[in-house]
Amino acid sequence: KQVHGLDYSESFAPVVKYTTLRIFLAISASYNMRVHQLDVESAFIYAPLAEVVYMHPHPEMHTPPRHCIKLLKSLYGLKQSPRNWNVHLHTFIISIGLRRSALDHCVYIGTILSSTVLIAVFVDDILIASDNDEALLHVKDLFRNKFRITDMGLAQEFLNIRITKEPHRIVIDQEPYVISLLEKYRSYIGSRNYADVPSLSEYMPRDDPPTTPQQRQFVESFPYPALVGALLYLAVVTRPDIMYAVGVLTHHLKCPTYASCKAACRVLNYLSHHPAIAICYSGSKLNLHAYTDSDWGSDRDTRRSTSGVIIVMAGGLVNWLSKLQPIVAVSSMEAEYIACFFCVQDIVWIRQLLKDLGLERTVPTIVQIDNRSAHQLAENPVHHQRSKHIDI
């Protein structure tokens, strides 16, 4: 029943990006930092409420008739509560001597007890990284004095991501999440051995109705949106190996076909054979570099190409991309050039983030591209008949 402009104004609250979280862990591995985790209990109720909001009292409060409650703090259920908590937490973290990154508003950095401290925030889940145990304990004591917290020690699971700290390296995977996913959809995992790759190269038309009653019944009962959503979360967070396959499946969300349902089953079969593939960050240097590739006009419905990008830091992937390009490329050179452009966009942002965290890169980032024409056009902006439009 809250009215915008009267009971609340803004409701947006940022959370740490998954790319930033992976960069956070890559930095921690390279500089041999320990990563600890905190959880703030009933976080929203700490944040003061700026708007005037009244509530009916609980019957057991025995409030006099015609009386109500005026809220002084945020409650779970109010539209502005997440934003109020984020502002309140930000004010506290700034007060202990850290500053917020301009590139990701949920990452903080500063010096405490002569040691560098990094903090990443996802609502009420907080990661703290430092190479000094005393600094870690001091920061946790500051949080404990301000909020009621659960100290989880070394981070082991964060947002369904399993984090394993080993000497001079950090490994992340989502095997428990994959196992629970396979258990939930076990009836759709066939007996055939699909352990090789998660997708086939055959094209799946978007308009391909089932041809038999059995196929129609299978499609109607298949939990396509829920399954693809669960697979997409997995692909975005720790499993770039299924990113392309899941990206193709998302093209059929509005109207699943029999072929797309079987393709989703194939991804499940692949995961059942490879549930524990992990990303490992190690080494004493960040060593930022990237790879980019593209097909050409593979989507026969739109004739758009698919860009593929991976960006590596500290020996592990920190960002990846597999998505349809926004325009139709007129040549394979242009398709590769567009993919490289998206890659460079992400690299520029990552380099700015590292600079903001005091880790500015002094050497160029190497981008590997396997198309000679696109490589030459990127190196030398010479526009001819086939690339005049790129100049625009």
Side-chain angles (χ1 to χ4, degrees), residues 16-19 21-22 25 37 122 127 155-164 170-178 233-234 236-239 277-279 281 320:
V16 64
K17 302 178 182 67
Y18 289 116
T19 300
L21 177 61
R22 292 187 290 263
L25 296 173
Q37 183 176 355
F122 194 101
L127 292 180
Q156 296 180 339
E157 185 175 349
F158 187 78
L159 307 177
N160 287 321
I161 305 171
R162 185 166 62 182
I163 303 173
T164 305
I170 292 177
V171 180
I172 62 172
D173 70 274
Q174 288 183 282
E175 184 181 11
Y177 178 82
V178 173
Y233 171 74
L234 185 62
V236 167
V237 179
T238 61
R239 293 297 295 265
I277 290 180
I279 300 175
Y281 303 109
W320 52 87

Side-chain angles (χ1 to χ4, degrees), residues 112-142:
I112 294 180
L113 300 183
S114 302
S115 299
T116 300
V117 173
L118 286 169
I119 290 181
V121 176
F122 194 101
V123 190
D124 56 355
D125 290 313
I126 300 168
L127 292 180
I128 306 172
S130 178
D131 60 354
N132 186 336
D133 291 337
E134 292 185 4
L136 282 171
L137 292 175
H138 179 70
V139 172
K140 290 196 285 187
D141 286 340
L142 293 174

Side-chain angles (χ1 to χ4, degrees), residues 107-292:
V107 173
Y108 297 81
I109 187 171
T111 301
I112 294 180
L113 300 183
S114 302
S115 299
T116 300
V117 173
L118 286 169
I119 290 181
V121 176
F122 194 101
V123 190
D124 56 355
D125 290 313
I126 300 168
L127 292 180
I128 306 172
S130 178
D131 60 354
N132 186 336
D133 291 337
E134 292 185 4
L136 282 171
L137 292 175
H138 179 70
V139 172
K140 290 196 285 187
D141 286 340
L142 293 174
F143 271 89
R144 190 175 291 107
N145 293 335
K146 182 71 174 180
F147 311 108
R148 182 185 300 170
I149 66 170
T150 301
D151 184 356
M152 301 180 181
L154 280 174
Q156 296 180 339
E157 185 175 349
F158 187 78
L159 307 177
N160 287 321
I161 305 171
R162 185 166 62 182
I163 303 173
T164 305
K165 178 70 173 76
E166 299 175 1
H168 299 285
R169 73 174 193 164
I170 292 177
V171 180
I172 62 172
D173 70 274
Q174 288 183 282
E175 184 181 11
Y177 178 82
V178 173
I179 292 174
S180 65
L181 189 66
L182 295 173
E183 179 64 25
K184 182 177 181 180
Y185 297 104
R186 63 182 180 275
S187 60
Y188 299 104
I189 302 175
S191 58
R192 292 181 61 188
N193 185 359
Y194 285 144
D196 47 359
V197 290
S199 65
L200 291 172
S201 58
E202 285 83 359
Y203 173 69
M204 295 188 298
R206 288 177 174 79
D207 185 14
D208 185 21
T211 57
T212 65
Q214 291 81 5
Q215 290 184 359
R216 189 177 302 109
Q217 181 180 3
F218 180 77
V219 172
E220 290 175 354
S221 63
F222 194 83
Y224 194 85
L227 174 56
V228 173
L231 293 174
L232 184 61
Y233 171 74
L234 185 62
V236 167
V237 179
T238 61
R239 293 297 295 265
D241 55 323
I242 66 171
M243 190 73 232
Y244 173 76
V246 176
V248 173
L249 295 178
T250 60
H251 302 165
H252 300 262
L253 275 174
K254 289 185 179 179
C255 187
T257 64
Y258 181 74
S260 64
C261 291
K262 297 301 289 184
C265 294
R266 181 186 178 91
V267 177
L268 285 175
N269 274 279
Y270 172 81
L271 289 175
S272 68
H273 289 87
H274 306 281
I277 290 180
I279 300 175
C280 175
Y281 303 109
S282 61
S284 58
K285 295 182 179 180
L286 293 178
N287 290 334
L288 178 65
H289 59 280
Y291 301 85
T292 174

Side-chain angles (χ1 to χ4, degrees), residues 85-109:
W85 161 245
N86 182 263
V87 172
H88 186 63
L89 180 62
H90 165 70
T91 303
F92 166 72
I93 295 177
I94 292 297
S95 70
I96 65 175
L98 278 67
R99 63 172 181 84
R100 182 164 67 181
S101 170
L103 280 300
D104 191 321
H105 284 187
C106 290
V107 173
Y108 297 81
I109 187 171

